[in-house]
Amino acid sequence: MFYRECGVLKETYRQDMAIFPIPLDRWGLGVMLVLAFLVIPFTASDYWLSSIMLPFYCFSLAALGLNFLTGYAGQVSIGHAAFMAVGAYSSLILYGRYGVPLPLSILGGGIFASAAGTIFGIPSLRIKGFYLAVSTLAAQFIIEWVLTHWQWVSGGVFGTVDAPDMYIFGWLIDTPVKKYYLVLCVLILLTVFGKNLVRGQLGRNWTAIRDMDVAAEIIGVSLFRNKLIAFAVSSFYAGVAGSLITFTYYLAANIEEFNLFLSFHLLGMIIIGGMGTVLGSFFGAGFMTLLPIFINQTLLTIMERVPSDIRANSEAIVFGGLIVFFLIVEPYGMARLWQTIKEKMRLWPFPY
Amino acid sequence: MAFFFEVLISGLLVGVMYSLVAMGFALIYKASGVFNFAQGDMSLLAGLALVGFLTVMPLWLALICTVAVMAILAYGTVFIIFRPLVARSPLILFMAAIGLSFLIQGIGQAIWGTDAKGLNIGIPDVLVQIGEIYISTFDLTFGGMAAALVAGLVWFFQKTRTGRALRAVADDHEAALSVGIPLLRAWAVTWVIAGIVATVAGVAWGSRLGVQFSLSLIALKALPVLILGGIDSILGAILAGLLIGASENLAEVFIGPYVGGGIQTFFPYLVALLVLWFKPYGMFGKEIIERV
């Protein structure tokens, strides 16, 4: 009743090909955009903006990237945090040391990450399944080692590069609201781009490879090209996400932030959110960003002060439990739950 | 030259530990198709449990209790987590194992605490001289124990009824089911065995480096071993473990100084990648022929 798909009469091919063919979806999206652009920046506190919304958006972007690779192209990567690190370091170095304008630096971070991702994606041409998954771990360790051991990268011994003040065309970006808009704009740009990517030829090639690579190759989908493009695009997104989160949230590129556990968390995000869906990346990232805060608040109601080990343990338990729970109960994640809700809303509140 | 052999032998002894962890992976993978990412966390849990039990009871009882904990974990895992996931894609099972690894970490540390604990089970750690080479008695003892464990497992799988049933399950699930082997129970027993292997590895590493969170990271050291040997090959796990242990130690000592050290963290992966490029299913892994 409340979610209506009827009465949508497509008259042109253009309408048929639209991303959101149903008017209600378009309205819903419009409302979300108004919320994101006009309501949240002016109503949310600085704490919410800078500590929750910023990481949420950045991780959404990274999860979206991983979703291209794992959810669409079916190649598991457990070294994705390393590509975020490459993006973070290279954009900081480009901007801070060489004075490249900020938008180009962020783009450059993405491009360097993408190059790194492509190199580590090369084994995927020969190695499959778990052998590949473990090989991507090599990316994590090698990149971590390079970033901490090459003096040139960090200019110091601890492998940390501080983020300088951000100027776009002479305009200082310092308050949480301005940072929020910067991240939001990049996020929307890349989401639209990514959504169209997976709707098109490339996305279909990826899906074909995921479902059965031998069959895909037989009907003429080049595994070599498409797998490498998947790695490149995916790590481009990771690199941009890494550089954004470093510029706006961490304020210094430190390899500790991009360790193996972040890789697992990204994987967890796309499982919980829904593999092979763009929407799911957002659900998953939002969920995983809010989860620690939620757990902390819950513990605070029970005890006065939460020791860090208890918090870490309960986070691990809840996180692990949720992954298992989702895999058993809803293997397609929150995106599928949303789909189910929409289907129910077609009839609700009438029984038939 | 004596120095070279000393480095080589200490590398081989470390390799034995890698082999143990990799064997746990291979056992479970072969039997149930689960890439058990939680193998390292099982070692951590075993170490934590043993330290916890040792404070209130003698060593032999503590060991029994630890194995009992691992058995409970194994049965719980198979019947609660993996039974609903039967016949799902391997990727889903792998993700479930990642979830399991977080669960074990959280629960283990919630019960026994996160602080680093020493573990002393009374094996002397003194250097003995053999020829010109110094070796720690501790390492030798554990090398011997690992060899005994492998021998015991071989005997179990070749000679006992349960062992043969497990091998049948590993070979072909459906055929095993059709001759009346209870699949889930066979998996659970495999997980118990993997748990025992994890216990030995956890105790060995724990008494060396202390029982703490980083113990679970030995799984990461065992992964290149696993893919180098072939995911489903026990023999591969053992040989690759020795190979990786020796080569990473040699590389760290002889190449490390030229590039800034610390290459132990990724050198095994490089070796594994290099071999995988020529043999995509590892040295002894079963080659899968795909048909459309």
Side-chain angles (χ1 to χ4, degrees), chain B residues 24 38 76 91 94 98 102 120 139 150 156 173 176 193 198 214 220 226-227 229 263:
Chain B
L91 187 62
F94 169 63
I98 291 185
F102 278 98
N120 185 9
D139 286 344
V150 171
F156 174 77
H173 290 172
I193 294 171
S214 62
L220 297 178
L226 190 66
I227 59 171
I263 59 174

Side-chain angles (χ1 to χ4, degrees), chain A residues 54 82 97 100 146 172 195 197 283-284 288 311 316:
Chain A
L54 285 180
R97 216 175 288 171
V100 179
V146 167
L172 179 66
K195 178 75 190 170
L197 210 59
F283 281 146
M288 296 290 287
R311 191 169 61 219

Side-chain angles (χ1 to χ4, degrees), chain A residues 73-76 121-136 209-210 212-217 223 227 231, chain B residues 29 35 90-91 227 231 273 276-277 279-282 286 288-291:
Chain A
Q75 315 292 311
V76 186
I122 291 174
S124 73
L125 306 175
R126 194 126 164 83
I127 308 171
K128 278 183 198 169
F130 294 124
Y131 291 96
L132 176 67
V134 174
S135 309
T136 55
I209 291 173
R210 174 192 65 194
M212 188 167 195
D213 53 354
V214 180
E217 200 171 16
L223 293 190
K227 277 185 181 175
F231 268 97
Chain B
Y29 186 79
F35 191 86
L91 187 62
I227 59 171
I231 292 181
L273 271 178
L276 281 185
W277 187 256
K279 285 188 74 69
Y281 294 100
K286 188 173 157 200
I288 302 160
I289 298 163
E290 287 182 69
R291 291 191 180 83

Side-chain angles (χ1 to χ4, degrees), chain A residues 119-157:
Chain A
I119 291 171
F120 284 103
I122 291 174
S124 73
L125 306 175
R126 194 126 164 83
I127 308 171
K128 278 183 198 169
F130 294 124
Y131 291 96
L132 176 67
V134 174
S135 309
T136 55
L137 263 180
Q140 182 80 39
F141 291 116
I142 293 176
I143 289 175
E144 263 185 32
W145 184 84
V146 167
L147 291 180
T148 42
H149 281 75
W150 277 11
Q151 295 280 317
W152 179 84
V153 172
S154 56
V157 278

